[in-house]
């Protein structure tokens, strides 16, 4: 609209510029008076300055019709702010993606570590003792896995798993034991803690 207005009124008198400005923008006298208020451009600077004035005023009209009131240079500032906000939102998105991925990796690592400990029980070359009775590795891992499922909501670390599922009997409070092939006995929680330490050392290599 602004470009069309310029081509039609170039070289006209200030009064003609005002008339064409009203027609081109579909404004009444009150609207033009509101834009021209406190301005002496038409009277003091002649046709060339008047043309520049109406060109700027036309841009303001377009912006006002869009529901935004903007002063000269505000469009540039708005664009810079928009780009700044867009960069900020991009950084926030990346940060949220990283934060959401960390718990997922932690949960996967916990499940893998507990799976390793259960496998160590199941494949152990020894006998497990619970409440004075001996059990095979397969029987022992079945019992420990059942306790793990029972306390799963409270288990956040491998140490929690050992403490809650593989330390002692809930009925008698007696500790679980492991008897190795050479006849030595040791608490199951200590045996699993040693296995956990070896596992972490291997993972760190």
């Amino acid at each position: 609209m602004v470009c069309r207005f310029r081509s039609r009124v170039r070289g006209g008198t200030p009064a003609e510029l005002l008339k064409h400005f009203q027609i081109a923008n579909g404004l009444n006298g009150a609207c033009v008076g509101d834009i021209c208020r406190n301005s002496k451009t038409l009277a003091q600077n002649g046709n060339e300055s008047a043309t520049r004035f109406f060109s700027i005023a036309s841009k303001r009209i377009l912006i006002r019709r869009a529901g935004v009131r903007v002063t000269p240079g505000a469009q540039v500032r708005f664009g810079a702010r928009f780009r700044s906000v867009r960069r900020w939102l991009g950084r926030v998105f990346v940060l949220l993606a990283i934060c959401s991925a960390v718990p997922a990796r932690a949960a996967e690592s916990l499940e893998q570590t507990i799976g390793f400990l259960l496998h160590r029980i199941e494949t152990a070359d020894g006998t497990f003792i619970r409440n004075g009775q001996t059990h095979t590795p397969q029987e022992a891992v079945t019992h420990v896995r059942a306790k793990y499922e029972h306390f799963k909501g409270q288990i956040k670390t491998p140490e929690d798993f050992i403490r809650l599922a593989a330390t002692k009997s809930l009925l008698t409070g007696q500790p679980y034991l492991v008897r190795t092939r050479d006849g030595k006995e040791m608490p199951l929680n200590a045996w699993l803690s040693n296995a956990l330490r070896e596992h972490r050392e291997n993972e760190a290599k």
Side-chain angles (χ1 to χ4, degrees):
M1 178 177 67
V2 174
C3 294
R4 182 174 64 251
F5 166 72
R6 285 182 178 176
S7 64
R8 288 182 178 179
V9 301
R10 182 175 298 154
T13 65
E16 290 173 342
L17 290 173
L18 178 60
K19 181 178 180 181
H20 283 288
F21 180 73
Q22 290 179 267
I23 296 172
N25 291 282
L27 302 175
N28 55 33
C31 292
V32 175
D34 179 61
I35 297 174
C36 298
R37 188 175 294 118
N38 299 323
S39 175
K40 298 180 180 180
T41 304
L42 294 176
Q44 295 178 355
N45 298 318
N47 292 351
E48 182 178 354
S49 296
T51 301
R52 289 199 303 269
F53 171 75
F54 282 119
S55 175
I56 294 172
S58 296
K59 294 179 181 179
R60 292 185 181 180
I61 288 295
L62 290 176
I63 294 171
R64 284 187 181 183
R65 286 177 174 176
V68 182
R69 191 177 183 117
V70 185
T71 56
Q75 287 177 297
V76 176
R77 292 195 298 272
F78 175 78
R81 290 179 182 175
F82 177 77
R83 288 191 294 271
S84 177
V85 170
R86 186 171 59 183
R87 287 194 297 268
W88 181 80
L89 289 175
R91 292 169 184 169
V92 170
F93 176 78
V94 172
L95 181 61
L96 290 175
I98 293 173
C99 291
S100 63
V102 169
R105 288 197 298 269
E108 181 181 4
S109 177
L110 176 61
E111 291 292 336
Q112 289 178 345
T113 303
I114 291 176
F116 164 80
L117 295 175
L118 290 171
H119 181 71
R120 179 61 66 91
I121 296 173
E122 188 175 15
T123 58
D125 185 13
T127 302
F128 293 86
I129 303 172
R130 175 165 52 92
N131 293 329
Q133 297 182 355
T134 60
H135 297 272
T136 65
Q138 291 72 29
E139 292 172 338
V141 75
T142 299
H143 178 75
V144 172
R145 185 178 284 113
K147 290 188 68 174
Y148 166 56
E149 293 297 330
H150 177 75
F151 288 108
K152 196 169 187 177
Q154 303 177 42
I155 295 175
K156 307 301 181 183
T157 65
E159 287 79 7
D160 291 340
F161 165 75
I162 295 174
R163 177 175 56 85
L164 295 172
T167 296
K168 62 182 180 179
S169 170
L170 294 178
L171 296 177
T172 65
Q174 294 182 14
Y176 298 152
L177 302 175
V178 180
R179 182 184 297 154
T180 59
R181 180 177 290 274
D182 58 8
K184 294 181 180 180
E185 293 184 359
M186 66 181 303
L188 177 59
N189 59 352
W191 185 78
L192 285 176
S193 295
N194 292 337
L196 177 61
R197 183 176 62 255
E198 294 175 2
H199 174 70
R200 285 173 171 168
E201 290 175 353
N202 292 332
E203 287 291 316
K205 293 180 179 179

